[in-house]
Amino acid sequence: MSLPPLVEPVEALTDAERDRTARHRKLIAIGDLGQRRLAAARVAVVGAGGLGSSVILALAAAGVGTIGIIDDDVVDLTNLHRQIIHSVETVGEPKTESAAARARGLAPDVRVIEHPVRLTAANAREILSDYDLVLDGSDTFETRDVVDAAAAELGLPVVWGSVLEFWSQVTVFWAEPPAGTDPVRLSDLFPAGSTGQVVTCEDVGVLASVCMQTGSLMASEAIKLIVGEGRPLLGRIAVIDALAGTMRELPVRSASALSTPSHV
């Protein structure tokens, strides 16, 4: 079931942006109205790494009007096999700077805001309050918990992704979704204290193409939410297994909904 569009559309696209997004606007589910909604949208991307790279490129290419990039790291040579928004020439630069330059080169009408900081409980609400939607491609549960808490307080939807080795997951969290839709949060998928010691890509590696596939799926979820089309992954989690060549989905329910007794 589609949800209402997240934003009101801008009045008109520039001539250059109309030309650049011509094939996008041909899509019946997007059209000129949907493209103008994308131009009005303000999207925060947490992490300019393996997932954020593909997310940022896809959102900029799609014509999202404002993209905020949040990352306190610098580009390292070991990043480049999967963090495709960066390059050898930008090794040593802040990831926000490198990613922003690439996004602006791809879509000059897109406004890119750099936040070269680590998202914390102290700054998350202030930073995220300027956005309509958050895409979380961070790689620690500390940051994921911060994003979840701030987005819940602000009423923002979160498109969430995680990737390791040959596998990944994508879902949508929203503490205050539109009426008639059950809320789902990160804690419903990973209850407090359930994660234990988290293995990282540095420990076991990651297939670069899975990062790209997962980031593209996250961007598609964001576009659906912005324009109000399609069936978002709210209440469902997509699980990608690159070795098996499969993508399946599992239900995700709110813990409060599961604990509420049903009445006949």
Side-chain angles (χ1 to χ4, degrees), residues 66-82:
T66 301
I67 301 174
I69 306 173
I70 307 165
D71 199 308
D72 69 337
D73 202 1
V74 299
V75 181
D76 185 84
L77 189 62
T78 61
N79 300 150
L80 300 185
H81 98 285
R82 67 198 181 281

Side-chain angles (χ1 to χ4, degrees), residues 19-245:
D19 288 344
R20 196 186 68 81
T21 61
R23 302 298 182 272
H24 222 212
R25 292 185 296 104
K26 286 284 188 180
L27 294 167
I28 294 174
I30 294 182
D32 187 72
L33 177 60
Q35 195 62 48
R36 289 189 286 116
R37 291 192 191 279
L38 289 170
R42 301 166 300 165
V43 178
V45 180
V46 183
L51 296 179
S53 289
S54 294
V55 163
I56 294 163
L57 288 171
L59 294 180
V64 168
T66 301
I67 301 174
I69 306 173
I70 307 165
D71 199 308
D72 69 337
D73 202 1
V74 299
V75 181
D76 185 84
L77 189 62
T78 61
N79 300 150
L80 300 185
H81 98 285
R82 67 198 181 281
Q83 300 183 19
I84 59 172
I85 202 166
H86 309 298
S87 69
V88 172
E89 288 75 18
T90 64
V91 168
E93 289 184 7
K95 286 186 178 178
T96 53
E97 182 179 325
S98 172
R102 182 71 181 92
R104 293 182 183 116
L106 182 62
D109 278 20
V110 174
R111 179 184 179 219
V112 186
I113 302 173
E114 299 174 40
H115 300 280
V117 297
R118 178 172 292 274
L119 211 60
T120 67
N123 64 18
R125 191 185 190 284
E126 179 181 1
I127 292 173
L128 297 182
S129 63
D130 288 332
Y131 297 96
D132 305 304
L133 169 67
V134 184
L135 281 84
D136 185 3
S138 59
D139 56 5
T140 70
F141 272 94
E142 180 182 4
T143 301
R144 293 168 185 169
D145 286 338
V146 165
V147 173
D148 178 69
E153 185 178 352
L154 294 166
L156 302 177
V158 178
V159 179
W160 179 91
S162 176
V163 62
L164 192 69
E165 295 185 302
F166 301 94
W167 303 279
S168 67
Q169 302 172 333
V170 176
T171 190
V172 174
F173 300 123
W174 203 345
E176 298 180 13
T181 306
D182 292 334
V184 183
R185 293 186 57 180
L186 176 67
S187 56
D188 296 315
L189 184 61
F190 296 103
S194 68
T195 56
Q197 183 66 36
V198 178
V199 178
T200 68
C201 295
E202 185 177 356
D203 298 322
V204 298
V206 63
L207 186 66
S209 55
V210 177
C211 294
M212 300 172 205
Q213 182 181 9
T214 307
S216 295
L217 181 57
M218 291 172 67
S220 294
E221 288 300 304
I223 291 168
K224 290 191 297 184
L225 289 167
I226 291 166
V227 304
E229 291 287 346
R231 183 185 174 208
L233 281 170
L234 182 61
R236 301 178 294 143
I237 183 167
V239 181
I240 296 171
D241 182 339
L243 285 180

